[in-house]
Each structure stands twice: as C-alpha cells, then as structure tokens.
Amino acid sequence: MAANSQDLQPSKPARKWYIPDHLKLQFAGNIGFLSGGPGYISRNKTLETDLLFGFLPQKYGGDALVTITGKTTYSPWRIPLKNAHYMAPFSLGFYLSYTFGPQFDTKWPTYYPKGYYWWATSFRPGAYVGGKVGRDIVLNKRRRGLEFYYELGTYDLLLISYAQNPKYLNLSDIVSLSLGLKLDF
C-alpha cells in the first residue's frame, strides 16, 4: 500500500462554524465614521456576511452616534493577478443599520397621527456596489488574505428623496463612498 507524504501530515483542525472568517475595518458608508467587526464568507468565496459596529464622533455628525450594521456582499467574479494578488471587479451588497440613542425611534410616538410618518428613524436599509483587490500575505507564520475594498452606496430615504426631487438632487447628493480593509483569519 502506497502513501503520499500529504497523507502522513497531520490535518489542520476544522474551524468551528461560529468562529468568524475575517475582520473588517471600514471608513464612512452611512454606518459610522469608522466601523469594524467580524464576518463570514461562503465556501466558494462569493458571499460575505458581516456584523459591524460603528461610531460617528460629535464633531462630524452633530451628535455622537453608535451603530450596529448587518451587511451582505456578493462578489461573483474573482480574477487572479500576478504575485498572489487578485481582484473582484464587481460587488453588490445590502445592509440594515440600527442607530442607538434616545433621539431615534423604532416606531413613531403616538402623538403623531397614524400614517404621518412611515419610516423608523433608528433603522436604515441600504445598498451599495463596489469592488476589491487583495493579496495573500504571511502574518505570524500563517497565510492570510488582506483585501482593500470600496463601495458606493445609499440608503432608503435618500433614494426616495432623489426619486421625488430629481430636478434638485444629483446622484452625487445621495451616494457615499466607503473604503475598507478585510483581514482573513
């Protein structure tokens, strides 16, 4: 019976399902001045799900805001480049963000007439498109992935304002740019 040298090597223990695959750090994007948190990626590396905690300092937002955001990003193509680099030229994603604070409501107070406002001020669903470039790196004697990504995004209230006021709003008025880094574990 023949055996390959790979068969004799101890196998790497499988990661528990609940341990995140990566960590993200994001600047801007309607979920905080700076946000970060853990995430998971599908086996075929096309779908990412992240839980990000964000903060917007008072000097930039009028109030100091804290957010929690669930994001899902789909990147259908991954193109290998030279020297362990790769790019994903197109990504599409959605998010739901919750902003903490007494000035934000999950439902409108009863002193407003029924149907006067239809949205909650604490929740913001949004969408974005973007892309990323990455590279495999060695960190602490382990191979890890490091990615830089960008996203152009907006959220529900801005889209509705744009649809209702196309003469007065440009696309640049409702779209924000976010930049981020992702480090695989």
Side-chain angles (χ1 to χ4, degrees):
M1 182 166 141
N4 292 330
S5 63
Q6 289 91 357
D7 295 337
L8 301 175
Q9 300 290 328
S11 62
K12 187 175 165 182
R15 185 191 310 254
K16 303 281 187 201
W17 66 269
Y18 52 84
I19 296 176
D21 298 315
H22 60 260
L23 188 63
K24 282 190 177 177
L25 183 63
Q26 180 174 313
F27 169 72
N30 299 316
I31 61 172
F33 179 79
L34 197 61
S35 57
Y40 300 88
I41 192 163
S42 63
R43 288 185 186 186
N44 65 1
K45 298 188 184 245
T46 59
L47 190 64
E48 295 177 19
T49 303
D50 305 300
L51 182 63
L52 303 178
F53 301 90
F55 179 70
L56 178 66
Q58 183 177 3
K59 83 181 219 182
Y60 298 117
D63 285 330
L65 303 178
V66 175
T67 62
I68 185 170
T69 303
K71 285 179 65 176
T72 298
T73 307
Y74 177 64
S75 304
W77 306 290
R78 187 171 164 153
I79 301 168
L81 303 172
K82 292 181 181 179
N83 300 327
H85 287 82
Y86 61 88
M87 70 181 283
F90 175 75
S91 296
L92 173 69
F94 302 94
Y95 69 86
L96 180 62
S97 183
Y98 178 83
T99 305
F100 295 92
Q103 69 272 43
F104 297 101
D105 296 304
T106 302
K107 61 181 186 172
W108 281 99
T110 56
Y111 52 80
Y112 288 109
K114 186 176 176 118
Y116 188 76
Y117 291 112
W118 56 266
W119 67 87
T121 57
S122 59
F123 287 102
R124 287 281 61 82
Y128 52 90
V129 296
K132 53 189 167 182
V133 294
R135 176 186 165 90
D136 290 334
I137 61 170
V138 177
L139 189 62
N140 295 334
K141 298 181 182 180
R142 293 188 60 208
R143 183 178 296 275
R144 301 171 192 263
L146 180 65
E147 288 182 354
F148 166 78
Y149 66 90
Y150 72 92
E151 297 167 352
L152 296 169
T154 191
Y155 56 90
D156 61 338
L157 294 180
L158 291 177
L159 279 173
I160 291 167
S161 294
Y162 180 75
Q164 293 175 340
N165 302 293
K167 290 183 194 176
Y168 304 104
L169 293 174
N170 295 315
L171 209 52
S172 62
D173 294 326
I174 68 163
V175 174
S176 68
L177 171 68
S178 61
L179 305 172
L181 288 173
K182 179 182 110 174
L183 176 64
D184 295 337
F185 293 137

